[in-house]
Amino acid sequence: MTPLHIGALAKLAGVKSDTVRFYERVGLLPKPQRSTNGYRTYEKDDLSRIRFIRKAQAVGFSLDEIRRILSFHGESPKTCRCVIAMAESTLSETETKIAELTKFHEALAKNLRGWKRRSPRSAAVEFCRLIESAEIHIPPTKLR
């Protein structure tokens, strides 16, 4: 694969060029090489890393957590303990989130069936109330 400029990399990764620059600034993506005319140039590994970051975000990892995951190197006992601890925590959080979302899914499906039968004018208000009453744990704000 020939080196990519930022726009091409961003397009292939499904992000904006600003996102690529942001990932560089916060240390998730290594500083790129520069061509003779000063343009950033990226390799296949950079594309893979951005895709990994996006997938990790999609399953709920914060950028700080992703940075930590990316920093794990080697197979030392300390690294293995860190990975296992993070995996256990992630599994627990995922199980909780699935249970919460399943409960919300059931309530939403039930309400939607009722709204379709009744065609209520208040569906928007009821929808907002349903969201407000959802028993969903909201974690502290994380940099995403």
Side-chain angles (χ1 to χ4, degrees), residues 44-60:
K44 182 180 176 184
D45 288 347
D46 298 313
L47 176 59
S48 297
R49 183 173 275 230
I50 293 171
R51 287 178 173 162
F52 174 83
I53 293 166
R54 300 296 291 158
K55 284 182 182 182
Q57 285 181 300
V59 296

Side-chain angles (χ1 to χ4, degrees), residues 114-123:
W115 297 334
K116 285 181 176 180
R117 276 194 310 271
R118 296 185 275 127
S119 293
R121 295 174 203 243
S122 62

Side-chain angles (χ1 to χ4, degrees), residues 20-31 49 53 63 66-68 70-71 143:
V20 175
R21 287 186 201 94
F22 174 74
Y23 288 167
E24 288 171 21
R25 238 184 357 265
V26 299
L28 289 168
L29 198 60
K31 296 289 181 201
R49 183 173 275 230
I53 293 166
L63 292 181
I66 295 167
R67 185 181 301 102
R68 187 168 172 218
L70 291 170
S71 74
L143 177 63

Side-chain angles (χ1 to χ4, degrees), residues 97-109:
K97 190 179 290 186
I98 288 170
E100 292 169 348
L101 289 174
T102 298
K103 191 173 179 180
F104 179 74
H105 174 268
E106 291 166 358
L108 180 58

Side-chain angles (χ1 to χ4, degrees), residues 96-97 99-104 131 133-139:
T96 299
K97 190 179 290 186
E100 292 169 348
L101 289 174
T102 298
K103 191 173 179 180
F104 179 74
I131 293 169
S133 69
E135 295 176 23
I136 304 287
H137 169 72
I138 302 171

